[in-house]
Amino acid sequence: MVPTVEWKNGAVRLLDQSRLPGTVEFLDCRDYRMVAEAMRTMKVRGAPAIGVTAAVGVALGAQAVTTTSYDEFAKAVTGICDELAATRPTAVNLFWAIERMKRKLAELRTKPLPEIKRALTEESQRILDEDVAMNKAMGKHGAALVQSGQTILTHCNAGALATAGYGTALGVIRAAWEEGKKISVLADETRPVLQGARLTAWELMQDKIPVTLITDSMAGSLMKQGRIHLCIVGADRIAANGDVANKIGTYSVAVLAKAHNIPFYVAAPHSTIDLATLSGDKIPIEQRNQNEVTTLHSGPSIAPAGVEVLNPAFDVTPASLITAIITERGVFKPSELSSQFSA
Ligand code: MRU
């Protein structure tokens, strides 16, 4: 798989996911504002990838700050953090990564500025490397829940493309496949931005993992026919009580899975767990532009001009519908998360 985000010759290189699957093209960002714009316009997307991208964006921005005073430097870097944090509201990985960069900045306050700049870049690379390592650990834990011969439904893209590499939900699928399990995947197309059709289908085909694309409305009927054995999705934020915010449509899949007695798993690293948010109804849900709904991937309009449109990008699945949450530390019931992940 091509990397989603990396440091390349002093620039931040992002895979432009808005052009997939047709075109594999990279954006070389030499200014943190370009990184922020790529996040806002979803050229890079997926909760862990957004977090990692913000971290490298902070480091990139910090490198360009010209002052000799720590206080002025810290003020400028904090401003960069604020701009990057304002790009998307729901995925908590964004705020988690930015807080980590701010802690590093404060920790090094007595050091010379060139050293601080270097340390911020190193910290961003550590965040990136740790993300891949967590996904691989998650994959191993989750693969134990998957049996040969099973068909797995996934929603949106929680793959290598949504992370720094390997993926969360698709990481579990990848690990099961690498263990030799004969599995297949049903990918929900995931209206309106089509992360399932454009990204999940592409990513799994790259790795030759059997995948079949379906529209979002087909899942219930396929479950009734016994053609789906389990569901695995990612998460953008998990509240302390185990409620999960993820791509719009996830809640519907969870309700359907419950009605058909099919296990429904969420795969996410600790950077997605937000114990400060007590329950899902407190998670901010991003509302996006209506054009995403009235067109198909920026094509001609498919709706009458002037129609009222709703476009919440995420929904909340209550803990009661979730069989278990797969993390890098193991597999837990939603109710166990707060004790497992409290500091
Ligand atoms: O709007 P997106 O594409 O950033 O939303 C992505 C999702 O909802 C993913 O399922 C989630 O971030 C988990 S990615 C490992």
Side-chain angles (χ1 to χ4, degrees), residues 42 44-48 50 88 91 155-159 162-163 167-169 193 195 199 233-236 245-248 250 267 269 286 288 313-314:
M42 292 174 66
V44 59
R45 32 66 52 200
I50 294 171
R88 297 195 70 189
H155 190 73
C156 193
N157 173 268
T163 62
T168 59
V193 180
Q195 290 94 333
L199 307 177
V233 300
D236 286 84
N246 191 48
K247 181 53 53 196
I248 190 77
T250 303
E286 179 179 9
R288 292 191 61 88
F314 302 95

Side-chain angles (χ1 to χ4, degrees), residues 4-5 17 35 38-40 42 44-57 84-85 87-95 97-98 131 161-164 236 286 314:
T4 311
V5 45
Q17 299 187 36
V35 175
M39 290 164 70
R40 219 178 343 261
M42 292 174 66
V44 59
R45 32 66 52 200
I50 294 171
V52 171
T53 304
V56 296
L84 289 161
T87 53
R88 297 195 70 189
T90 304
V92 78
N93 310 60
L94 171 60
F95 311 104
I98 287 175
D131 186 59
L161 292 168
T163 62
D236 286 84
E286 179 179 9
F314 302 95

